[in-house]
Amino acid sequence: MQDLELYLWWRNFTELTDYSSSAPAHQNAFDLFKGGWRTKVPGDLADTGGVKNVFETDERVALTKKVLGSYEGKHILEIGPFEGYQTAQLEKEGADVFAVENSTANFIKCLVMKNALGLKSTFALGDFNEFEAESKFDIVWFSGVLYHMTDPLSSLAKISRWADTLFIWTQYFSEEFAAENSKAYSDFFKPEKDKTVEFLGREIKHNYRAYLAPQRNGTFSGGSESFSYWLSLDDIKFALEAYGFKINMILNNPKHPTGPACYFVARRD
Protein backbone atom coordinates (compact mmCIF):
# COMPACT_ATOMS: atom_id res chain seq x y z
CA MET A 1 0.00 0.00 0.00
CA GLN A 2 1.40 3.39 -1.00
CA ASP A 3 1.88 6.10 1.64
CA LEU A 4 -1.01 8.21 0.28
CA GLU A 5 -3.34 5.21 0.17
CA LEU A 6 -2.34 4.27 3.71
CA TYR A 7 -3.04 7.79 4.92
CA LEU A 8 -6.44 7.92 3.22
CA TRP A 9 -7.34 4.53 4.68
CA TRP A 10 -6.27 5.66 8.16
CA ARG A 11 -8.16 8.95 7.87
CA ASN A 12 -11.36 7.27 6.68
CA PHE A 13 -11.08 4.61 9.37
CA THR A 14 -10.57 7.11 12.20
CA GLU A 15 -13.44 9.27 10.93
CA LEU A 16 -15.77 6.27 10.98
CA THR A 17 -14.65 5.18 14.45
CA ASP A 18 -14.96 8.65 15.97
CA TYR A 19 -17.61 9.59 18.53
CA SER A 20 -20.53 11.97 18.15
CA SER A 21 -21.31 14.51 20.86
CA SER A 22 -24.39 15.83 19.04
CA ALA A 23 -27.97 15.09 19.97
CA PRO A 24 -29.03 11.84 18.24
CA ALA A 25 -30.39 12.57 14.77
CA HIS A 26 -30.36 11.13 11.27
CA GLN A 27 -28.45 14.23 10.20
CA ASN A 28 -25.38 13.01 12.11
CA ALA A 29 -25.29 9.81 10.05
CA PHE A 30 -25.70 11.68 6.77
CA ASP A 31 -22.90 14.02 7.85
CA LEU A 32 -20.47 11.08 7.89
CA PHE A 33 -20.35 11.72 4.12
CA LYS A 34 -20.81 15.49 4.23
CA GLY A 35 -20.12 16.91 0.79
CA GLY A 36 -20.23 13.42 -0.68
CA TRP A 37 -23.94 12.90 -1.40
CA ARG A 38 -25.63 13.29 -4.75
CA THR A 39 -29.08 12.47 -3.44
CA LYS A 40 -31.44 14.75 -1.58
CA VAL A 41 -33.69 12.98 0.89
CA PRO A 42 -37.45 13.56 1.08
CA GLY A 43 -38.89 16.40 3.16
CA ASP A 44 -36.87 17.77 6.08
CA LEU A 45 -35.47 14.41 7.15
CA ALA A 46 -31.89 15.62 6.68
CA ASP A 47 -29.78 18.00 4.63
CA THR A 48 -27.42 15.89 2.55
CA GLY A 49 -26.14 18.72 0.38
CA GLY A 50 -27.04 16.53 -2.59
CA VAL A 51 -28.04 18.20 -5.83
CA LYS A 52 -30.37 15.53 -7.25
CA ASN A 53 -33.95 15.35 -6.02
CA VAL A 54 -34.18 11.82 -7.36
CA PHE A 55 -36.98 10.67 -5.08
CA GLU A 56 -39.26 12.98 -7.08
CA THR A 57 -37.55 13.20 -10.47
CA ASP A 58 -36.16 9.72 -11.18
CA GLU A 59 -38.86 8.04 -13.26
CA ARG A 60 -37.19 4.72 -14.00
CA VAL A 61 -39.14 2.74 -11.42
CA ALA A 62 -42.46 4.38 -12.34
CA LEU A 63 -42.09 4.12 -16.12
CA THR A 64 -40.83 0.54 -15.97
CA LYS A 65 -43.87 -0.38 -13.88
CA LYS A 66 -46.01 0.35 -16.95
CA VAL A 67 -44.16 -2.46 -18.74
CA LEU A 68 -43.69 -4.91 -15.87
CA GLY A 69 -46.93 -4.32 -14.03
CA SER A 70 -47.10 -4.27 -10.25
CA TYR A 71 -43.92 -4.75 -8.20
CA GLU A 72 -46.02 -5.99 -5.27
CA GLY A 73 -44.44 -9.09 -3.76
CA LYS A 74 -41.69 -9.27 -6.39
CA HIS A 75 -38.31 -10.55 -5.21
CA ILE A 76 -35.81 -8.17 -6.81
CA LEU A 77 -32.03 -8.43 -6.96
CA GLU A 78 -30.67 -4.90 -7.32
CA ILE A 79 -27.07 -4.53 -8.45
CA GLY A 80 -25.26 -1.32 -7.55
CA PRO A 81 -27.86 0.60 -5.47
CA PHE A 82 -25.45 3.58 -5.09
CA GLU A 83 -27.26 5.70 -2.47
CA GLY A 84 -30.37 3.54 -2.16
CA TYR A 85 -32.98 5.77 -3.76
CA GLN A 86 -34.21 3.30 -6.37
CA THR A 87 -34.22 0.64 -3.65
CA ALA A 88 -36.54 2.88 -1.65
CA GLN A 89 -38.79 3.46 -4.66
CA LEU A 90 -39.03 -0.25 -5.41
CA GLU A 91 -39.81 -1.07 -1.79
CA LYS A 92 -42.49 1.63 -1.72
CA GLU A 93 -44.09 -0.19 -4.65
CA GLY A 94 -44.22 -3.39 -2.60
CA ALA A 95 -41.05 -5.15 -3.78
CA ASP A 96 -38.77 -7.29 -1.63
CA VAL A 97 -35.28 -6.03 -2.53
CA PHE A 98 -31.91 -7.65 -1.99
CA ALA A 99 -29.26 -5.14 -3.09
CA VAL A 100 -25.58 -5.86 -3.73
CA GLU A 101 -23.03 -3.01 -3.56
CA ASN A 102 -19.25 -3.39 -3.81
CA SER A 103 -18.29 0.19 -2.91
CA THR A 104 -17.78 0.33 0.85
CA ALA A 105 -18.69 4.03 0.95
CA ASN A 106 -21.89 3.52 -1.04
CA PHE A 107 -22.77 0.47 1.05
CA ILE A 108 -22.62 2.53 4.25
CA LYS A 109 -24.57 5.33 2.54
CA CYS A 110 -27.28 2.78 1.73
CA LEU A 111 -27.40 1.71 5.38
CA VAL A 112 -27.73 5.35 6.44
CA MET A 113 -30.57 5.77 3.94
CA LYS A 114 -32.19 2.51 5.06
CA ASN A 115 -32.14 3.58 8.70
CA ALA A 116 -33.44 7.08 8.00
CA LEU A 117 -36.26 5.92 5.73
CA GLY A 118 -37.12 2.81 7.73
CA LEU A 119 -36.51 0.47 4.79
CA LYS A 120 -36.83 -3.29 5.07
CA SER A 121 -34.62 -4.02 2.05
CA THR A 122 -31.37 -5.90 2.57
CA PHE A 123 -28.04 -4.43 1.46
CA ALA A 124 -25.07 -6.77 1.05
CA LEU A 125 -21.47 -5.63 0.61
CA GLY A 126 -19.60 -7.48 -2.11
CA ASP A 127 -18.93 -7.99 -5.81
CA PHE A 128 -21.99 -9.24 -7.67
CA ASN A 129 -19.71 -11.15 -10.04
CA GLU A 130 -18.85 -13.36 -7.05
CA PHE A 131 -22.47 -13.75 -5.97
CA GLU A 132 -24.20 -17.12 -6.17
CA ALA A 133 -27.98 -17.03 -5.87
CA GLU A 134 -29.70 -19.95 -4.14
CA SER A 135 -32.78 -19.49 -6.32
CA LYS A 136 -34.02 -17.25 -9.10
CA PHE A 137 -35.30 -13.74 -8.53
CA ASP A 138 -38.37 -12.28 -10.20
CA ILE A 139 -36.36 -9.32 -11.51
CA VAL A 140 -32.73 -8.29 -11.70
CA TRP A 141 -32.49 -4.49 -11.44
CA PHE A 142 -29.25 -3.58 -13.22
CA SER A 143 -29.23 0.20 -13.25
CA GLY A 144 -26.09 2.19 -14.00
CA VAL A 145 -23.73 -0.79 -13.85
CA LEU A 146 -23.03 -2.39 -17.23
CA TYR A 147 -20.94 0.46 -18.66
CA HIS A 148 -18.69 0.37 -15.58
CA MET A 149 -17.69 -3.25 -16.18
CA THR A 150 -14.33 -4.47 -17.51
CA ASP A 151 -15.99 -7.65 -18.81
CA PRO A 152 -19.52 -6.59 -19.74
CA LEU A 153 -20.37 -9.77 -21.64
CA SER A 154 -19.61 -11.90 -18.59
CA SER A 155 -21.72 -9.58 -16.46
CA LEU A 156 -24.67 -10.01 -18.81
CA ALA A 157 -24.18 -13.76 -18.71
CA LYS A 158 -24.14 -13.66 -14.93
CA ILE A 159 -27.37 -11.71 -14.44
CA SER A 160 -29.15 -13.75 -17.11
CA ARG A 161 -28.90 -16.77 -14.82
CA TRP A 162 -30.63 -15.05 -11.92
CA ALA A 163 -33.94 -13.99 -13.46
CA ASP A 164 -36.09 -14.22 -16.57
CA THR A 165 -36.83 -10.50 -16.32
CA LEU A 166 -34.10 -7.88 -16.36
CA PHE A 167 -34.22 -4.12 -16.03
CA ILE A 168 -31.15 -2.43 -17.50
CA TRP A 169 -30.21 1.23 -17.54
CA THR A 170 -26.90 1.78 -19.24
CA GLN A 171 -24.80 4.04 -21.36
CA TYR A 172 -23.43 2.60 -24.57
CA PHE A 173 -20.87 3.41 -27.24
CA SER A 174 -21.91 5.07 -30.47
CA GLU A 175 -19.44 5.76 -33.28
CA GLU A 176 -21.64 8.63 -34.45
CA PHE A 177 -21.74 10.28 -31.02
CA ALA A 178 -18.00 9.77 -30.58
CA ALA A 179 -17.29 11.45 -33.91
CA GLU A 180 -19.54 14.41 -33.07
CA ASN A 181 -17.95 14.82 -29.63
CA SER A 182 -14.40 13.76 -30.37
CA LYS A 183 -12.73 16.49 -28.31
CA ALA A 184 -14.72 15.77 -25.15
CA TYR A 185 -14.50 12.02 -25.67
CA SER A 186 -10.73 12.07 -26.11
CA ASP A 187 -10.26 12.60 -22.36
CA PHE A 188 -11.98 9.31 -21.59
CA PHE A 189 -11.97 6.97 -24.57
CA LYS A 190 -8.69 5.50 -25.74
CA PRO A 191 -9.16 3.73 -29.11
CA GLU A 192 -5.64 2.31 -28.97
CA LYS A 193 -6.77 0.26 -25.96
CA ASP A 194 -9.95 -1.08 -27.53
CA LYS A 195 -10.29 -4.81 -27.99
CA THR A 196 -12.50 -7.14 -29.97
CA VAL A 197 -14.02 -10.28 -28.48
CA GLU A 198 -15.61 -13.09 -30.47
CA PHE A 199 -19.01 -14.01 -29.04
CA LEU A 200 -21.14 -16.69 -30.68
CA GLY A 201 -19.67 -15.97 -34.09
CA ARG A 202 -19.94 -12.19 -33.75
CA GLU A 203 -17.02 -9.80 -33.34
CA ILE A 204 -17.93 -7.50 -30.44
CA LYS A 205 -15.88 -4.37 -30.00
CA HIS A 206 -15.05 -3.33 -26.44
CA ASN A 207 -14.43 0.42 -26.30
CA TYR A 208 -11.92 1.37 -23.60
CA ARG A 209 -13.14 4.13 -21.29
CA ALA A 210 -10.82 5.52 -18.58
CA TYR A 211 -11.84 7.18 -15.34
CA LEU A 212 -10.15 10.49 -14.67
CA ALA A 213 -8.52 10.88 -11.24
CA PRO A 214 -10.59 13.95 -10.20
CA GLN A 215 -13.74 11.83 -10.51
CA ARG A 216 -12.68 9.63 -7.64
CA ASN A 217 -14.21 11.70 -4.87
CA GLY A 218 -17.05 11.26 -2.42
CA THR A 219 -19.67 11.16 -5.15
CA PHE A 220 -17.85 8.81 -7.53
CA SER A 221 -20.26 6.22 -8.88
CA GLY A 222 -18.07 4.31 -11.31
CA GLY A 223 -16.50 0.88 -11.27
CA SER A 224 -13.82 -0.55 -9.02
CA GLU A 225 -11.16 -0.52 -11.75
CA SER A 226 -9.49 2.48 -13.39
CA PHE A 227 -11.30 1.78 -16.67
CA SER A 228 -14.27 0.01 -18.19
CA TYR A 229 -15.40 -1.20 -21.60
CA TRP A 230 -18.46 0.21 -23.34
CA LEU A 231 -20.41 -1.90 -25.82
CA SER A 232 -22.64 -0.71 -28.64
CA LEU A 233 -26.37 -0.98 -28.10
CA ASP A 234 -26.66 -3.50 -30.93
CA ASP A 235 -24.06 -5.72 -29.27
CA ILE A 236 -25.81 -5.49 -25.91
CA LYS A 237 -29.05 -6.54 -27.56
CA PHE A 238 -27.32 -9.35 -29.44
CA ALA A 239 -25.87 -10.80 -26.23
CA LEU A 240 -29.20 -10.68 -24.40
CA GLU A 241 -31.10 -12.14 -27.33
CA ALA A 242 -28.52 -14.96 -27.42
CA TYR A 243 -29.57 -15.75 -23.84
CA GLY A 244 -33.20 -15.92 -24.91
CA PHE A 245 -34.39 -12.44 -23.96
CA LYS A 246 -36.69 -10.16 -25.90
CA ILE A 247 -36.00 -6.44 -25.53
CA ASN A 248 -38.70 -3.89 -24.70
CA MET A 249 -37.05 -0.48 -25.02
CA ILE A 250 -38.52 2.11 -22.67
CA LEU A 251 -36.30 5.11 -23.36
CA ASN A 252 -33.31 5.61 -25.64
CA ASN A 253 -31.39 8.88 -25.65
CA PRO A 254 -28.56 8.74 -28.22
CA LYS A 255 -27.76 12.40 -27.47
CA HIS A 256 -27.32 12.02 -23.71
CA PRO A 257 -24.68 14.63 -22.75
CA THR A 258 -22.19 12.16 -21.27
CA GLY A 259 -22.78 9.53 -23.93
CA PRO A 260 -25.79 7.67 -25.35
CA ALA A 261 -27.98 6.11 -22.68
CA CYS A 262 -31.05 3.91 -22.58
CA TYR A 263 -33.13 1.73 -20.36
CA PHE A 264 -35.21 -1.28 -21.20
CA VAL A 265 -36.82 -4.47 -19.94
CA ALA A 266 -35.49 -7.80 -21.19
CA ARG A 267 -37.80 -10.78 -20.78
CA ARG A 268 -37.36 -14.47 -21.39
CA ASP A 269 -40.33 -16.80 -21.81
Side-chain angles (χ1 to χ4, degrees):
M1 183 179 291
Q2 299 297 318
D3 290 344
L4 177 58
E5 293 176 330
L6 181 62
Y7 166 72
L8 291 173
W9 172 86
W10 174 84
R11 188 187 68 180
N12 290 337
F13 179 78
T14 53
E15 286 177 354
L16 290 176
T17 54
D18 205 350
Y19 298 87
S20 175
S21 58
S22 302
H26 290 306
Q27 184 67 55
N28 299 332
F30 282 102
D31 283 347
L32 289 174
F33 297 94
K34 193 170 185 177
W37 290 89
R38 286 190 184 178
T39 305
K40 290 183 178 181
V41 293
D44 58 358
L45 184 64
D47 179 12
T48 64
V51 297
K52 293 190 175 183
N53 193 14
V54 289
F55 282 93
E56 295 181 6
T57 61
D58 192 309
E59 297 182 322
R60 282 173 282 191
V61 170
L63 292 180
T64 304
K65 182 180 178 181
K66 296 180 179 180
V67 176
L68 293 177
S70 174
Y71 295 107
E72 187 70 38
K74 299 295 185 184
H75 191 31
I76 296 180
L77 172 62
E78 181 185 13
I79 307 297
F82 185 39
E83 293 178 348
Y85 53 87
Q86 287 184 48
T87 318
Q89 290 175 319
L90 289 166
E91 182 176 313
K92 186 178 179 180
E93 292 287 342
D96 172 24
V97 184
F98 182 83
V100 176
E101 176 61 62
N102 76 329
S103 162
T104 53
N106 291 341
F107 171 70
I108 298 172
K109 283 183 179 181
C110 286
L111 296 184
V112 171
M113 192 71 77
K114 172 179 179 173
N115 190 46
L117 298 181
L119 301 180
K120 297 179 181 179
S121 299
T122 297
F123 294 95
L125 176 63
D127 185 346
F128 81 91
N129 288 297
E130 301 299 323
F131 178 61
E132 295 296 337
E134 294 181 358
S135 59
K136 275 194 172 184
F137 292 81
D138 295 308
I139 303 168
V140 170
W141 195 267
F142 201 58
S143 181
V145 179
L146 182 62
Y147 61 103
H148 293 304
M149 297 291 98
T150 57
D151 191 353
L153 290 177
S154 291
S155 296
L156 289 175
K158 191 79 174 177
I159 66 172
S160 72
R161 298 201 296 267
W162 294 330
D164 293 326
T165 299
L166 313 175
F167 168 83
I168 297 179
W169 186 99
T170 188
Q171 294 194 264
Y172 59 88
F173 190 83
S174 161
E175 297 285 358
E176 180 181 358
F177 186 91
E180 292 174 354
N181 299 271
S182 57
K183 186 175 181 180
Y185 254 37
S186 64
D187 288 338
F188 302 98
F189 287 91
K190 309 297 179 184
E192 69 275 10
K193 294 186 177 183
D194 292 350
K195 68 177 184 179
T196 300
V197 174
E198 184 177 349
F199 178 76
L200 298 179
R202 182 184 178 104
E203 297 292 317
I204 294 185
K205 185 179 179 183
H206 287 54
N207 300 275
Y208 183 99
R209 202 271 194 192
Y211 296 120
L212 298 183
Q215 288 184 316
R216 291 197 174 273
N217 53 29
T219 58
F220 180 70
S221 58
S224 58
E225 303 295 332
S226 61
F227 71 97
S228 64
Y229 284 114
W230 285 28
L231 304 179
S232 72
L233 183 55
D234 283 344
D235 286 338
I236 293 171
K237 289 179 176 179
F238 178 84
L240 289 170
E241 288 168 358
Y243 293 125
F245 291 94
K246 294 181 180 179
I247 309 299
N248 187 332
M249 185 64 65
I250 299 174
L251 184 66
N252 183 17
N253 182 4
K255 302 296 183 181
H256 190 282
T258 60
C262 68
Y263 62 95
F264 56 86
V265 167
R267 278 176 161 162
R268 180 168 51 202
D269 296 332

